[in-house]
């Protein structure tokens, strides 16, 4: 497919904007003017519409395809949240307005959204307070670990280590290390944390434990009460990675379970599908003892019902992000929670767990299921036997699924399962979609045994076939503007 620059033809236009009342160039200092016109594509309106429509068809998306991407919760999010986020009353606000003296009354609606979103997240997680500033999940993790460090520093604790189980998300050890802690890994037993392994590494230098529950195998940590007791016994803190919150919303409040810090991926659990580089939002909730260290500013509700920003938190870790986080993502999450209410939030979790167990049961006997017991919102399968007997690996199966119109599950993660495929169907898919996915996957597995070489070449029906993914990442060719150079006399390359 050609780029818009390659399709450009000199003099071709699509719209005729009204002539400006004042020539823009007359408003600028001559030293700021460019010497030649910018190299912009020149297309008709029809050419432009067809270009971007064709471009959209080349891509996989939640709107167009089933997206069983384990650990990522790529569920369909309703379009009404997009309408809410595009309301001019919000989009025309400047983020500095609430900080201007006497201008806070102009942003009461936006401040109320921030305040109420914090209250909603507290109600769902059981935490005492939230900050909405972190701009992504990993950013939330780093913020959470910084809060843990501030707590220990304030108490005069000498803590140097954070424990991370081998079933944790990969960002957990990275966040702990960036915050300056030594990362101590402990092995899982039967897919979950073994308190005996935790006890082996627990001492007074442990600042805390970072964990996901349910974990990346889709299993609930049934030893959680003992784990909380052990970590708190050395004045350590429990960090909850909220990436899998979709499985437990309305069923379990992590604050009630004993966790001290949690980050929530609004872009996974509460509208705004993630991926593609953003935007995201990773609010962080804390127990009461960590509240003094939350980032500033914080939105408060005054006695007269007005909302305001408060900076008077002397123990705060300071600023984590500009202004108040990704407001558009927060706004969509607020609309989502408001519309679903408690009953809807509970049903999200129930249906997500039901869909995952339905797929697990239907695929039993076709793929190895290493932990074949009731799972939460996702489960893992293994292609290790196929790899050994037919030479067809998890990567080949994933690529073949693309040919069938399904996005691929997460593969090779978690690392503790060989030839791993992590499948998360989410709550938003119909039974017919789940059945079609199973039927296609079973047919791929049949093909793997009868004609494995055919799968090694997959995908073969897409605009782009099997890539050398390492080379594609390191030697990208983003544009092809040779056509522009040939047709446009003002293009620098043709001068």
């Amino acid at each position: 497919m050609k780029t818009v620059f390659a399709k450009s033809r000199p003099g071709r236009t699509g719209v005729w904007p009204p002539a400006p009342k004042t020539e823009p160039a007359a408003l600028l200092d001559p030293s700021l003017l460019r010497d030649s016109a910018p190299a912009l594509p020149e297309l008709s309106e029809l050419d432009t519409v067809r270009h971007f429509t064709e471009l959209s068809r080349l891509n996989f998306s939640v709107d167009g395809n089933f997206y069983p991407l384990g650990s990522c919760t790529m569920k369909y999010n309703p379009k009404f949240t997009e309408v809410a986020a595009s309301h001019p009353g919000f989009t025309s606000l400047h983020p500095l307005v609430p900080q201007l003296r006497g201008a806070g009354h102009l942003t009461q609606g936006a401040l109320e959204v921030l305040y109420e979103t914090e209250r909603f997240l507290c109600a769902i997680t059981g935490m005492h307070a939230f900050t909405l500033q972190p701009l992504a999940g990993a950013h939330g993790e780093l913020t959470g670990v910084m809060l843990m460090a501030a707590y220990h520093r304030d108490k005069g604790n000498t803590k140097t280590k954070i424990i991370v189980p081998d079933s944790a998300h990969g960002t957990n050890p990275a966040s702990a290390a960036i915050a300056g802690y030594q990362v101590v890994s402990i092995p899982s037993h039967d897919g979950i944390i073994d308190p005996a392994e935790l006890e082996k590494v627990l001492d007074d230098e442990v600042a805390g434990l970072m964990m996901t529950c349910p974990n990346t195998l889709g299993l609930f940590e049934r030893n959680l009460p003992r784990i909380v007791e052990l970590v708190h016994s050395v004045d350590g803190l429990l960090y909850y990675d909220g990436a899998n919150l979709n499985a437990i919303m309305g069923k379990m409040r992590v604050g009630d379970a004993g966790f001290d810090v949690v980050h929530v991926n609004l872009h996974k659990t509460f509208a705004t599908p993630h991926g593609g580089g953003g935007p995201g939002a990773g609010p962080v909730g804390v127990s009461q003892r960590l509240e003094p260290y939350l980032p500033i500013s914080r939105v408060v509700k005054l006695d007269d019902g007005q909302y305001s920003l408060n900076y008077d938190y002397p123990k705060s870790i300071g600023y984590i992000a500009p202004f108040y986080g990704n407001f558009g993502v927060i706004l969509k999450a607020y609309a989502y929670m408001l519309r679903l209410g408690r009953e809807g939030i509970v049903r999200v979790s129930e249906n997500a767990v039901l869909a995952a167990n339905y797929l697990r049961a239907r695929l039993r006997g076709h793929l190895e299921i290493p932990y074949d017991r009731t799972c939460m919102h996702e489960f893992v399968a293994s292609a290790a036997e196929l790899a050994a007997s037919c030479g067809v690996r998890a990567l080949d199966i994933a690529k073949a699924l693309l040919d069938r119109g399904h996005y691929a599950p997460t593969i090779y993660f978690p690392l503790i399962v060989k030839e791993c495929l992590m499948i998360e169907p989410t709550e938003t898919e119909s039974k017919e979609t789940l059945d079609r996915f199973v039927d296609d996957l079973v047919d791929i597995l049949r093909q793997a045994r009868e004609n494995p070489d055919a799968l090694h070449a997959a995908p073969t029906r897409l605009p782009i076939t099997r890539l050398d993914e390492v080379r594609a990442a390191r030697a990208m060719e983003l544009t092809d503007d040779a056509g522009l150079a040939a047709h446009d006399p003002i293009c620098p390359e043709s001068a």
Side-chain angles (χ1 to χ4, degrees):
M1 178 180 172
K2 293 181 178 179
T3 68
V4 287
F5 290 95
K7 294 175 180 176
S8 175
R9 293 294 180 271
R12 187 168 294 175
T13 58
V15 295
W16 290 269
K21 295 179 180 178
T22 304
E23 181 59 40
L27 302 175
L28 299 173
D29 186 289
S31 65
L32 299 177
L33 299 178
R34 60 189 308 147
D35 296 327
S36 59
L40 298 176
E42 298 176 71
L43 301 167
S44 70
E45 179 176 313
L46 183 58
D47 289 340
T48 306
V49 169
R50 286 178 176 170
H51 172 78
F52 285 105
T53 301
E54 183 181 3
L55 198 61
S56 72
R57 289 173 177 167
L58 297 180
N59 205 1
F60 274 76
S61 70
V62 173
D63 284 349
N65 306 88
F66 178 40
Y67 240 87
L69 197 63
S71 191
C72 289
T73 313
M74 293 293 287
K75 62 185 182 183
Y76 173 78
N77 295 126
K79 298 308 176 205
F80 82 90
T81 60
E82 303 289 342
V83 176
S86 62
H87 192 286
F90 293 117
T91 57
S92 61
L93 278 177
H94 192 287
L96 282 174
V97 173
Q99 301 180 32
L100 300 178
R101 187 183 299 276
H105 69 282
L106 299 174
T107 59
Q108 287 298 296
L111 293 177
E112 182 177 2
V113 167
L114 296 174
Y115 183 86
E116 290 294 324
T117 301
E118 289 186 21
R119 293 299 95 203
F120 287 176
L121 293 176
C122 285
I124 291 172
T125 62
M127 305 307 284
H128 184 70
F130 258 85
T131 174
L132 303 182
Q133 284 191 25
L135 302 173
H139 193 199
E141 286 182 33
L142 179 61
T143 303
V145 178
M146 292 173 65
L147 293 169
M148 294 164 66
Y151 166 83
H152 289 304
R153 188 165 51 246
D154 195 30
K155 289 192 68 176
N157 291 341
T158 302
K159 304 284 192 179
T160 59
K161 298 182 284 190
I162 284 184
I163 300 171
V164 181
D166 61 1
S167 60
H169 279 112
T171 47
N172 290 174
S175 298
I178 290 173
Y181 285 104
Q182 174 190 347
V183 178
V184 179
S185 179
I186 56 173
S188 303
H189 282 184
D190 195 26
I192 59 175
I193 298 175
D194 183 353
E197 295 291 343
L198 177 58
E199 286 186 84
K200 290 179 184 177
V201 299
L202 203 60
D203 58 32
D204 289 337
E205 293 190 12
V206 170
L209 167 70
M210 300 181 75
M211 60 185 291
T212 311
C213 183
N215 63 25
T216 52
L217 298 170
L219 303 177
F220 191 84
E221 297 285 354
R222 57 176 178 264
N223 297 316
L224 192 53
R226 179 58 178 159
I227 293 168
V228 173
E229 179 186 6
L230 286 171
V231 175
H232 282 170
S233 70
V234 296
D235 200 16
L237 298 167
L238 266 294
Y239 185 98
Y240 182 91
D241 183 325
N244 293 342
L245 191 68
N246 213 46
I248 64 166
M249 288 191 303
K251 297 292 185 180
M252 168 191 165
R253 304 202 321 163
V254 296
D256 298 340
F259 284 92
D260 301 283
V261 190
V262 56
H263 88 263
V264 176
N265 296 285
L266 296 186
H267 51 288
K268 286 185 178 182
T269 313
F270 300 102
T272 313
H274 87 317
V284 172
V286 293
S287 59
Q288 190 167 6
R289 57 178 168 168
L290 291 182
E291 183 182 8
Y293 313 104
L294 284 175
I296 53 173
S297 60
R298 295 185 59 194
V299 181
V300 295
K301 189 174 184 179
L302 305 177
D303 292 339
D304 63 359
Q306 296 287 303
Y307 297 92
S308 180
L309 296 177
N310 192 343
Y311 296 82
D312 188 16
Y313 297 95
K315 293 185 178 181
S316 167
I317 61 173
Y319 296 93
I320 288 296
F323 306 114
Y324 329 103
N326 270 328
F327 183 71
V329 177
I330 295 169
L331 188 56
K332 283 188 275 189
Y334 176 71
Y336 182 84
M337 290 186 281
L338 204 61
R339 176 64 184 87
L340 264 64
R342 173 174 171 73
E343 181 185 355
I345 293 287
V346 171
R347 287 175 59 193
V348 164
S349 294
E350 290 176 343
N351 289 340
V353 172
L354 178 64
N357 280 284
Y358 179 72
L359 284 189
R360 179 184 59 81
R362 280 216 58 193
L363 288 172
R364 181 189 295 138
H366 298 286
L367 269 175
E368 182 185 358
I369 311 291
Y371 302 95
D372 192 9
R373 58 180 187 258
T374 302
C375 65
M376 300 300 289
H377 65 306
E378 64 189 7
F379 67 100
V380 294
S382 171
E385 187 277 327
L386 269 182
S389 61
C390 309
V392 172
R393 305 188 61 193
L395 174 67
D396 302 314
I397 296 172
K399 296 296 185 186
L401 281 167
L402 298 178
D403 266 340
R404 310 294 179 109
H406 308 289
Y407 195 76
T410 296
I411 57 174
Y412 301 116
F413 181 78
L415 302 177
I416 53 180
V417 174
K418 290 183 178 178
E419 297 294 331
C420 183
L421 296 118
M422 187 200 295
I423 301 171
E424 179 182 357
T426 80
E427 78 283 0
T428 50
E429 300 295 344
S430 68
K431 180 176 179 296
E432 290 76 18
T433 298
L434 301 182
D435 285 336
R436 187 167 68 85
F437 173 73
V438 171
D439 293 343
D440 287 342
L441 182 52
V442 169
D443 192 54
I444 289 169
L445 298 175
R446 176 195 58 76
Q447 190 177 16
R449 299 192 185 281
E450 296 176 356
N451 184 14
D453 285 343
L455 296 185
H456 294 151
T460 59
R461 306 171 192 170
L462 300 180
I464 303 296
T465 54
R466 182 74 68 101
L467 291 172
D468 180 340
E469 294 178 350
V470 175
R471 183 171 179 271
R474 295 180 177 177
M476 286 189 284
E477 295 179 13
L478 297 177
T479 61
D480 172 14
D481 55 5
L484 177 66
H487 295 287
D488 190 346
I490 65 170
C491 178
E493 287 79 5
S494 64

